[in-house]
Amino acid sequence: MTEIRKQITRLRAELPEGVALCAVSKFHPVEALREAYDAGQRTFGESRVQELLEKIPQLPADISWHFIGHLQTNKVRQLIGRTAMIESVDSERLLALIDRESEKAGVITRVLMQLHVAAEETKFGFTPQELEDYFANRRFESLRATHICGVMGMATNTDDTDRISSDFRQIADTFRRIRTEIAPDLRGFDTISMGMSDDYPLAIAEGSTLVRIGSTIFGARQY
Ligand SMILES: *Cc1c(COP(=O)(O)O)cnc(C)c1O
């Protein structure tokens, strides 16, 4: 068995029911993705538009592509219609643009709202308060071609597992408040994307429904 197949098989056995796996394949060649595909993996995560658009035609059409990187507004149009989900919506401006371009293209785009809870300044996203305000003010009602399916977030990059768990708890708590108190009429708001190679067990313990795992499956990235 190849290492990639071994890891996919191991993860599939290990992840609890209700937790989906996004195999993060950024910076890895299509041969590596094909190995994962042959092991049964169908959801892949990419973080750069150009790389994603180059990979799509080289791989089977039944792959669900998740975009997980910071999306520049000038790249939105190229991406619309190509993904199963854009996980990294980090501003209302980006969301409005995705909605406008999706409507123009005649497609519905599924997205996650990215939450910023980590200590690093460099991470993108809404603060929990900003996101709760967005839903409390029912600004999602103006969307015409975008379906908000949940939230995505990252924990602080640290060895402190208490801090990591509390970051994940904050993401999950924000999701639950929106879903049960702020906008209980929202439909299909059911995804909490959190957890990467180094921290996914902690994310699952806090309620993740979608883990994004790269280096554990594919090895170290060659930037
Ligand atoms: C690269 C990346 C991952 C995967 O990270 P690994 O540590 O390789 O598992 C997950 N989520 C996002 C947003 C990423 O950019």
Side-chain angles (χ1 to χ4, degrees):
M1 251 206 294
T2 70
E3 190 59 25
I4 291 172
R5 174 179 290 270
K6 205 158 49 181
Q7 292 300 337
I8 294 279
T9 306
R10 183 185 66 75
L11 283 164
R12 184 163 310 124
E14 177 188 333
L15 297 179
E17 202 167 315
V19 179
L21 172 63
C22 175
V24 175
S25 48
K26 64 189 186 196
F27 295 97
H28 291 284
V30 289
E31 292 72 30
L33 282 76
R34 199 168 288 121
E35 275 188 52
Y37 181 91
D38 289 342
Q41 183 63 25
R42 292 295 179 271
T43 302
F44 292 85
E46 289 283 338
S47 60
R48 297 185 304 175
V49 172
Q50 200 51 46
E51 183 177 346
L52 173 59
L53 295 180
E54 282 167 19
K55 283 174 173 172
I56 289 174
Q58 301 184 64
L59 287 155
D62 64 343
I63 288 178
S64 291
W65 295 100
H66 285 208
F67 190 80
I68 62 169
H70 175 59
L71 178 54
Q72 292 167 277
T73 49
N74 64 350
K75 303 260 173 80
V76 168
R77 186 176 307 171
Q78 295 171 270
L79 197 59
I80 293 305
R82 316 303 294 275
T83 62
M85 188 174 270
I86 298 174
E87 294 199 19
S88 43
V89 173
D90 54 18
S91 73
E92 280 196 62
R93 178 162 171 263
L94 176 61
L95 182 61
L97 192 59
I98 288 170
D99 194 52
R100 179 147 32 95
E101 293 296 337
S102 301
E103 194 182 18
K104 265 198 236 164
V107 299
I108 303 287
T109 300
R110 291 156 52 81
V111 304
L112 301 179
M113 302 291 258
Q114 183 170 351
L115 274 165
H116 175 105
V117 298
E120 289 88 11
E121 299 262 319
T122 51
K123 296 220 165 101
F124 293 99
F126 297 85
T127 65
Q129 190 62 54
E130 285 168 348
L131 197 62
E132 290 181 23
D133 289 347
Y134 174 81
F135 285 102
N137 296 325
R138 304 194 67 81
R139 296 209 282 279
F140 59 90
E141 287 181 349
S142 66
L143 298 174
R144 301 165 66 96
T146 310
H147 181 184
I148 302 177
C149 301
V151 301
M152 181 273 256
M154 279 176 259
T156 304
N157 186 7
T158 173
D159 292 334
D160 177 357
T161 54
D162 288 342
R163 173 68 205 242
I164 294 170
S165 290
S166 94
D167 285 351
F168 286 144
R169 201 169 312 130
Q170 213 187 341
I171 293 166
D173 283 348
T174 303
F175 168 87
R176 289 191 202 103
R177 268 195 302 277
I178 292 166
R179 180 164 138 132
T180 62
E181 294 163 33
I182 299 174
D185 56 327
L186 257 186
R187 291 180 161 245
F189 188 76
D190 56 15
T191 300
I192 307 178
S193 174
M194 56 186 193
M196 325 202 311
S197 291
D198 288 340
D199 57 19
Y200 72 88
L202 298 173
I204 291 169
E206 298 300 336
S208 174
T209 69
L210 176 62
V211 291
R212 308 177 309 272
I213 299 182
S215 35
T216 290
I217 297 170
F218 296 108
R221 286 179 282 275
Q222 310 283 316
Y223 292 105

